[in-house]
Amino acid sequence: MTDAYQRLRKSDLATLRAEIRAGRYRSHTAGLGAGYLQTNIAILPESHALDFMRFCQRNPKPCPLVGVSDTGNPMMTTLGAEIDIRTDVPAYNIYRDGKLAGSAADISDLWTEDMVAFALGCSFTFEDALMQAGVPLWHIENDTTVPMFRSSIDTVPAGPFSGKMVVSLRFVEPGMVETATAISRRFPLAHGAPVHAGDPAAIGIADVTKPDWGDPVPVPEGQVPVFWACGVTPQVAIEAARVPLCITHKPGHMLVTDIPEDAEVPICASANNNDIKNQQGEPA
Amino acid sequence: MTDAYQRLRKSDLATLRAEIRAGRYRSHTAGLGAGYLQTNIAILPESHALDFMRFCQRNPKPCPLVGVSDTGNPMMTTLGAEIDIRTDVPAYNIYRDGKLAGSAADISDLWTEDMVAFALGCSFTFEDALMQAGVPLWHIENDTTVPMFRSSIDTVPAGPFSGKMVVSLRFVEPGMVETATAISRRFPLAHGAPVHAGDPAAIGIADVTKPDWGDPVPVPEGQVPVFWACGVTPQVAIEAARVPLCITHKPGHMLVTDIPEDAEVPICASANNNDIKNQQGEPA
C-alpha cells in the first residue's frame, strides 16, 4: 500500500482513477491528485434529492456542493472526464434506514435508476494551502485522522435533514489564526473560514481530547483550538433522515476530480462540447 | 416615484420591504438596500425544482444560487426576517408553457402548495463595488438598463433546462480590465469574474450596439467590451423547458434580502434560533 501510494502520488489523474476503478487502490486519498479538488460523496434516492440539495444550499460551510449527477446517471460529467461514481471512489459506506450496514469497494450492484449522486468539497484542499503558508498540521505530520466533534451549532434544516454541525479541530499558534482564517476563507468549496476559534465549550465541546470521530491530538500549550465545518455533517443529517438507502464514501477515501483547487467554479471543461472553459474564471 | 425612491434609499430593509409588500412601491430596486444582496427570483412547480437546482449548480456564474424555499412555503427564511416571496418583490412576470403571459405586483393568488422559490444573485452587488473602485458604468450614470446579449456560450444542461448563456456588457478602460475582473471575482454570488473581455464575435455577438435585452450604450473609443454572465440566462432556460407555470421577478425589480453583500455564505441569522451567525464567516 505504501508503495502504491507513493507511485500514485506522482501519477496523473486518469491513471489514479483507473487504479481505483480496477480495485487496485482502496486506501485513503490524502495527498493524491495534489492541486485538484477531492470530494465527499453522498448517493441518495431521487425522492430525497431535492431536500438534500436544499440542506446543502442552506449549510454551505459543512456541505459545499461541488457536483450533482443526473438521476440514474452514474457519470459525474461536470467533475471530470469519465468519472463513474459507482467505481471511482476507493471505498464506500452503505447506510440503510440511516444506519451503517456495510462497506464496499464498488457499488455497481447497488446503483439503481432512481439514484442521485452528490459531491461535496472536503478539507484536503485548504489543509494543503495552510501547510504551504507555514501553518503546521499535527494530524497530517503524524498520519492520523483529524479529530472531529459534534458541536452545539444547529444546521439549517431542510425536509427530513437536520442536526448539529460536525466540526474538525486543528490547533494553531495565536499569531497564525488570522492567516489560517484568511487562507481557508479563500476556499468556499472546501468549508471556507473556521466557524469558531477559542473556547471549545462555546460551541458545546466539553473535552477536545475526546473526539467523536477521528483520532485525538495532543493539546499544545498556548495554541488556539480552531474549528472548521466538517463534511461528516451531512452523514449525521442522513442518519437523522433515516433515508432507506444511502451510499457515501468511506471517510478519508474521497473522489479525486479533474477540477483545479483554485477554479472559480467547479465545472469541468468536459461538461460541455462548447466553450465552457469560459465559465471557469478569467476572461478568455 | 422619484420621491418614493429617494425616501426608500435612506430607509431600512424592513421599511423598504413593507412598502413593497403594501404595493406602494412597484419600481426597480437599483440603489435600494445598499450593502445588501439583491436577487433574481424564479418560482417553479416542485416537479421541475430538482432539475432547475441542478441547472443552477452546473451554471453558477449565470445562476448563483442564494436561497431556495421549502416546497409550498412562501417564506424565504434563509434570506431574511419574514420575507414572503408572494408579496415582497416589486413586480413579477408570469410565464405559462415558457411564454410570458402577464405581470403582477402580487402573486398571492397564484401561489400553490407545490411551488418552490429560487433566489439567484444579481449584478447590482458587483456594480456597486466597481463604481467604488473607480470603474464608471455608463448605464448606471445614465439611468438605463445594462445591455444584454444571447452569447454562443452553451450552458451545461440539466433535464429540460438548457440554452445559450446570456451576458451583460460593460465597457471598461484597458487599464482597468484587470481591476474589474479581480473585484467582480470577489462576488461569486453576483456572477463573479467576467466570462469574456475583448472581441464580441469570439462569443457570438455580431453587433454590440444591438442588445437582445436592455438598452444600447455608446461604444467608447479605445475601451474594452467586458462581458459578465447574466441572470436572464435562467429565464431563457425556463422558456426552453416550457415549464407549465413559472413566475419570475420583472427584470430590475429584485428581491432585497437581509444578507450583507460581503457575507461569506448567504444564510440569514434568522434562519435558525441557534448560533447560526457562526456560519456567516469569521470565527466567533
mmCIF file of all heavy atoms in Angstrom, chain B residues 13-14 17-18 21 73-89 255-258 268-271:
data_model
loop_
_atom_site.group_PDB
_atom_site.id
_atom_site.type_symbol
_atom_site.label_atom_id
_atom_site.label_comp_id
_atom_site.label_asym_id
_atom_site.label_seq_id
_atom_site.Cartn_x
_atom_site.Cartn_y
_atom_site.Cartn_z
ATOM 1 N N LEU B 13 -34.169 48.079 5.773
ATOM 2 C CA LEU B 13 -34.664 46.987 4.931
ATOM 3 C C LEU B 13 -36.111 46.634 5.241
ATOM 4 O O LEU B 13 -36.894 46.344 4.330
ATOM 5 C CB LEU B 13 -33.773 45.753 5.125
ATOM 6 C CG LEU B 13 -32.327 45.898 4.647
ATOM 7 C CD1 LEU B 13 -31.536 44.650 5.003
ATOM 8 C CD2 LEU B 13 -32.261 46.149 3.144
ATOM 9 N N ALA B 14 -36.474 46.652 6.528
ATOM 10 C CA ALA B 14 -37.832 46.262 6.907
ATOM 11 C C ALA B 14 -38.848 47.256 6.332
ATOM 12 O O ALA B 14 -39.884 46.863 5.794
ATOM 13 C CB ALA B 14 -37.954 46.184 8.430
ATOM 14 N N ARG B 17 -39.134 46.713 2.523
ATOM 15 C CA ARG B 17 -39.974 45.576 2.124
ATOM 16 C C ARG B 17 -41.438 45.800 2.483
ATOM 17 O O ARG B 17 -42.332 45.353 1.769
ATOM 18 C CB ARG B 17 -39.432 44.284 2.718
ATOM 19 C CG ARG B 17 -38.309 43.686 1.852
ATOM 20 C CD ARG B 17 -38.159 42.201 2.052
ATOM 21 N NE ARG B 17 -37.872 41.893 3.433
ATOM 22 C CZ ARG B 17 -36.637 41.861 3.950
ATOM 23 N NH1 ARG B 17 -35.588 42.080 3.190
ATOM 24 N NH2 ARG B 17 -36.451 41.601 5.214
ATOM 25 N N ALA B 18 -41.693 46.525 3.588
ATOM 26 C CA ALA B 18 -43.088 46.813 3.949
ATOM 27 C C ALA B 18 -43.755 47.667 2.879
ATOM 28 O O ALA B 18 -44.920 47.451 2.523
ATOM 29 C CB ALA B 18 -43.139 47.509 5.311
ATOM 30 N N ARG B 21 -44.339 45.365 -0.047
ATOM 31 C CA ARG B 21 -45.398 44.398 0.283
ATOM 32 C C ARG B 21 -46.772 45.053 0.215
ATOM 33 O O ARG B 21 -47.744 44.444 -0.244
ATOM 34 C CB ARG B 21 -45.150 43.846 1.700
ATOM 35 C CG ARG B 21 -46.080 42.723 2.097
ATOM 36 C CD ARG B 21 -45.660 42.147 3.444
ATOM 37 N NE ARG B 21 -44.243 41.770 3.442
ATOM 38 C CZ ARG B 21 -43.527 41.492 4.524
ATOM 39 N NH1 ARG B 21 -44.085 41.549 5.716
ATOM 40 N NH2 ARG B 21 -42.249 41.154 4.429
ATOM 41 N N ASN B 73 -43.900 26.566 0.782
ATOM 42 C CA ASN B 73 -43.723 27.576 1.837
ATOM 43 C C ASN B 73 -43.166 28.869 1.232
ATOM 44 O O ASN B 73 -42.028 28.893 0.768
ATOM 45 C CB ASN B 73 -42.769 27.052 2.910
ATOM 46 C CG ASN B 73 -42.607 28.027 4.070
ATOM 47 O OD1 ASN B 73 -43.065 29.172 4.004
ATOM 48 N ND2 ASN B 73 -41.965 27.575 5.121
ATOM 49 N N PRO B 74 -43.970 29.935 1.232
ATOM 50 C CA PRO B 74 -43.515 31.172 0.566
ATOM 51 C C PRO B 74 -42.512 31.987 1.385
ATOM 52 O O PRO B 74 -42.012 32.992 0.896
ATOM 53 C CB PRO B 74 -44.816 31.960 0.396
ATOM 54 C CG PRO B 74 -45.676 31.508 1.520
ATOM 55 C CD PRO B 74 -45.337 30.055 1.754
ATOM 56 N N MET B 75 -42.208 31.561 2.612
ATOM 57 C CA MET B 75 -41.280 32.337 3.436
ATOM 58 C C MET B 75 -39.841 31.920 3.115
ATOM 59 O O MET B 75 -39.465 30.762 3.271
ATOM 60 C CB MET B 75 -41.564 32.117 4.929
ATOM 61 C CG MET B 75 -43.017 32.388 5.346
ATOM 62 S SD MET B 75 -43.662 34.003 4.803
ATOM 63 C CE MET B 75 -42.731 35.098 5.890
ATOM 64 N N MET B 76 -39.050 32.899 2.668
ATOM 65 C CA MET B 76 -37.644 32.615 2.330
ATOM 66 C C MET B 76 -36.812 32.827 3.595
ATOM 67 O O MET B 76 -36.084 33.831 3.715
ATOM 68 C CB MET B 76 -37.175 33.528 1.202
ATOM 69 C CG MET B 76 -38.022 33.484 -0.061
ATOM 70 S SD MET B 76 -37.826 31.967 -1.030
ATOM 71 C CE MET B 76 -36.224 32.196 -1.782
ATOM 72 N N THR B 77 -36.912 31.911 4.530
ATOM 73 C CA THR B 77 -36.356 32.131 5.875
ATOM 74 C C THR B 77 -34.842 32.314 5.891
ATOM 75 O O THR B 77 -34.321 32.987 6.776
ATOM 76 C CB THR B 77 -36.716 30.954 6.798
ATOM 77 O OG1 THR B 77 -36.366 29.742 6.129
ATOM 78 C CG2 THR B 77 -38.180 30.958 7.131
ATOM 79 N N THR B 78 -34.137 31.717 4.944
ATOM 80 C CA THR B 78 -32.680 31.857 4.995
ATOM 81 C C THR B 78 -32.212 33.217 4.477
ATOM 82 O O THR B 78 -31.044 33.566 4.618
ATOM 83 C CB THR B 78 -31.972 30.750 4.180
ATOM 84 O OG1 THR B 78 -32.378 30.831 2.810
ATOM 85 C CG2 THR B 78 -32.305 29.375 4.730
ATOM 86 N N LEU B 79 -33.109 33.981 3.838
ATOM 87 C CA LEU B 79 -32.699 35.247 3.223
ATOM 88 C C LEU B 79 -33.070 36.475 4.046
ATOM 89 O O LEU B 79 -32.601 37.579 3.735
ATOM 90 C CB LEU B 79 -33.291 35.379 1.821
ATOM 91 C CG LEU B 79 -32.785 34.354 0.810
ATOM 92 C CD1 LEU B 79 -33.436 34.587 -0.547
ATOM 93 C CD2 LEU B 79 -31.269 34.419 0.684
ATOM 94 N N GLY B 80 -33.917 36.293 5.058
ATOM 95 C CA GLY B 80 -34.246 37.461 5.859
ATOM 96 C C GLY B 80 -35.456 37.230 6.745
ATOM 97 O O GLY B 80 -36.161 36.224 6.603
ATOM 98 N N ALA B 81 -35.669 38.185 7.621
ATOM 99 C CA ALA B 81 -36.780 38.089 8.563
ATOM 100 C C ALA B 81 -38.089 38.289 7.818
ATOM 101 O O ALA B 81 -38.307 39.340 7.214
ATOM 102 C CB ALA B 81 -36.614 39.136 9.657
ATOM 103 N N GLU B 82 -38.926 37.282 7.843
ATOM 104 C CA GLU B 82 -40.295 37.414 7.322
ATOM 105 C C GLU B 82 -40.363 37.815 5.859
ATOM 106 O O GLU B 82 -41.229 38.604 5.462
ATOM 107 C CB GLU B 82 -41.087 38.416 8.178
ATOM 108 C CG GLU B 82 -41.197 37.947 9.616
ATOM 109 C CD GLU B 82 -41.884 38.966 10.522
ATOM 110 O OE1 GLU B 82 -42.531 39.872 9.981
ATOM 111 O OE2 GLU B 82 -41.757 38.828 11.742
ATOM 112 N N ILE B 83 -39.459 37.298 5.034
ATOM 113 C CA ILE B 83 -39.580 37.559 3.599
ATOM 114 C C ILE B 83 -40.631 36.621 3.014
ATOM 115 O O ILE B 83 -40.488 35.402 3.067
ATOM 116 C CB ILE B 83 -38.243 37.348 2.870
ATOM 117 C CG1 ILE B 83 -37.238 38.429 3.280
ATOM 118 C CG2 ILE B 83 -38.452 37.348 1.346
ATOM 119 C CD1 ILE B 83 -35.911 38.346 2.563
ATOM 120 N N ASP B 84 -41.713 37.223 2.481
ATOM 121 C CA ASP B 84 -42.777 36.449 1.835
ATOM 122 C C ASP B 84 -42.641 36.662 0.328
ATOM 123 O O ASP B 84 -42.857 37.763 -0.176
ATOM 124 C CB ASP B 84 -44.140 36.939 2.346
ATOM 125 C CG ASP B 84 -45.290 36.096 1.810
ATOM 126 O OD1 ASP B 84 -45.162 35.507 0.706
ATOM 127 O OD2 ASP B 84 -46.330 36.037 2.503
ATOM 128 N N ILE B 85 -42.287 35.598 -0.367
ATOM 129 C CA ILE B 85 -41.958 35.723 -1.788
ATOM 130 C C ILE B 85 -43.191 36.027 -2.645
ATOM 131 O O ILE B 85 -43.070 36.442 -3.801
ATOM 132 C CB ILE B 85 -41.215 34.451 -2.294
ATOM 133 C CG1 ILE B 85 -40.385 34.762 -3.530
ATOM 134 C CG2 ILE B 85 -42.185 33.305 -2.557
ATOM 135 C CD1 ILE B 85 -39.341 35.825 -3.325
ATOM 136 N N ARG B 86 -44.391 35.906 -2.076
ATOM 137 C CA ARG B 86 -45.617 36.216 -2.826
ATOM 138 C C ARG B 86 -45.868 37.713 -2.952
ATOM 139 O O ARG B 86 -46.628 38.155 -3.812
ATOM 140 C CB ARG B 86 -46.827 35.566 -2.143
ATOM 141 C CG ARG B 86 -46.758 34.062 -2.066
ATOM 142 C CD ARG B 86 -47.849 33.510 -1.172
ATOM 143 N NE ARG B 86 -47.721 34.014 0.202
ATOM 144 C CZ ARG B 86 -48.489 33.623 1.213
ATOM 145 N NH1 ARG B 86 -49.456 32.739 1.013
ATOM 146 N NH2 ARG B 86 -48.306 34.128 2.428
ATOM 147 N N THR B 87 -45.238 38.484 -2.042
ATOM 148 C CA THR B 87 -45.577 39.915 -1.973
ATOM 149 C C THR B 87 -44.360 40.842 -1.948
ATOM 150 O O THR B 87 -44.515 42.051 -2.136
ATOM 151 C CB THR B 87 -46.366 40.208 -0.670
ATOM 152 O OG1 THR B 87 -45.595 39.693 0.433
ATOM 153 C CG2 THR B 87 -47.732 39.546 -0.701
ATOM 154 N N ASP B 88 -43.167 40.298 -1.733
ATOM 155 C CA ASP B 88 -42.042 41.160 -1.369
ATOM 156 C C ASP B 88 -41.135 41.535 -2.529
ATOM 157 O O ASP B 88 -40.045 42.088 -2.336
ATOM 158 C CB ASP B 88 -41.222 40.518 -0.243
ATOM 159 C CG ASP B 88 -41.993 40.535 1.079
ATOM 160 O OD1 ASP B 88 -43.165 40.930 1.060
ATOM 161 O OD2 ASP B 88 -41.409 40.155 2.112
ATOM 162 N N VAL B 89 -41.563 41.223 -3.751
ATOM 163 C CA VAL B 89 -40.858 41.660 -4.959
ATOM 164 C C VAL B 89 -41.728 42.742 -5.598
ATOM 165 O O VAL B 89 -42.953 42.596 -5.642
ATOM 166 C CB VAL B 89 -40.655 40.448 -5.914
ATOM 167 C CG1 VAL B 89 -40.087 40.873 -7.248
ATOM 168 C CG2 VAL B 89 -39.776 39.386 -5.240
ATOM 169 N N LEU B 255 -35.683 41.070 -5.445
ATOM 170 C CA LEU B 255 -35.910 40.878 -4.021
ATOM 171 C C LEU B 255 -34.720 41.452 -3.265
ATOM 172 O O LEU B 255 -33.568 41.116 -3.566
ATOM 173 C CB LEU B 255 -36.047 39.382 -3.692
ATOM 174 C CG LEU B 255 -36.164 39.062 -2.195
ATOM 175 C CD1 LEU B 255 -37.523 39.530 -1.644
ATOM 176 C CD2 LEU B 255 -35.969 37.578 -1.927
ATOM 177 N N VAL B 256 -34.986 42.329 -2.297
ATOM 178 C CA VAL B 256 -33.921 42.862 -1.445
ATOM 179 C C VAL B 256 -33.860 41.985 -0.186
ATOM 180 O O VAL B 256 -34.856 41.854 0.526
ATOM 181 C CB VAL B 256 -34.197 44.332 -1.055
ATOM 182 C CG1 VAL B 256 -33.057 44.869 -0.199
ATOM 183 C CG2 VAL B 256 -34.378 45.185 -2.308
ATOM 184 N N THR B 257 -32.710 41.373 0.051
ATOM 185 C CA THR B 257 -32.581 40.438 1.177
ATOM 186 C C THR B 257 -31.915 41.102 2.382
ATOM 187 O O THR B 257 -31.442 42.236 2.291
ATOM 188 C CB THR B 257 -31.719 39.223 0.786
ATOM 189 O OG1 THR B 257 -30.334 39.626 0.744
ATOM 190 C CG2 THR B 257 -32.127 38.655 -0.572
ATOM 191 N N ASP B 258 -31.847 40.360 3.469
ATOM 192 C CA ASP B 258 -31.133 40.825 4.670
ATOM 193 C C ASP B 258 -29.683 40.352 4.695
ATOM 194 O O ASP B 258 -29.001 40.497 5.716
ATOM 195 C CB ASP B 258 -31.817 40.281 5.940
ATOM 196 C CG ASP B 258 -33.151 40.962 6.212
ATOM 197 O OD1 ASP B 258 -33.479 41.946 5.522
ATOM 198 O OD2 ASP B 258 -33.868 40.500 7.121
ATOM 199 N N CYS B 268 -29.139 33.772 6.496
ATOM 200 C CA CYS B 268 -29.511 34.824 7.434
ATOM 201 C C CYS B 268 -29.558 34.304 8.859
ATOM 202 O O CYS B 268 -29.932 33.162 9.105
ATOM 203 C CB CYS B 268 -30.885 35.338 7.037
ATOM 204 S SG CYS B 268 -31.467 36.649 8.061
ATOM 205 N N ALA B 269 -29.197 35.166 9.806
ATOM 206 C CA ALA B 269 -29.196 34.781 11.215
ATOM 207 C C ALA B 269 -30.562 34.265 11.650
ATOM 208 O O ALA B 269 -30.664 33.393 12.504
ATOM 209 C CB ALA B 269 -28.784 35.965 12.075
ATOM 210 N N SER B 270 -31.635 34.770 11.051
ATOM 211 C CA SER B 270 -32.970 34.368 11.490
ATOM 212 C C SER B 270 -33.350 32.980 10.995
ATOM 213 O O SER B 270 -34.399 32.453 11.345
ATOM 214 C CB SER B 270 -34.012 35.361 10.982
ATOM 215 O OG SER B 270 -34.159 35.240 9.587
ATOM 216 N N ALA B 271 -32.483 32.364 10.171
ATOM 217 C CA ALA B 271 -32.815 31.043 9.635
ATOM 218 C C ALA B 271 -32.830 29.986 10.727
ATOM 219 O O ALA B 271 -33.340 28.904 10.551
ATOM 220 C CB ALA B 271 -31.817 30.641 8.554
#
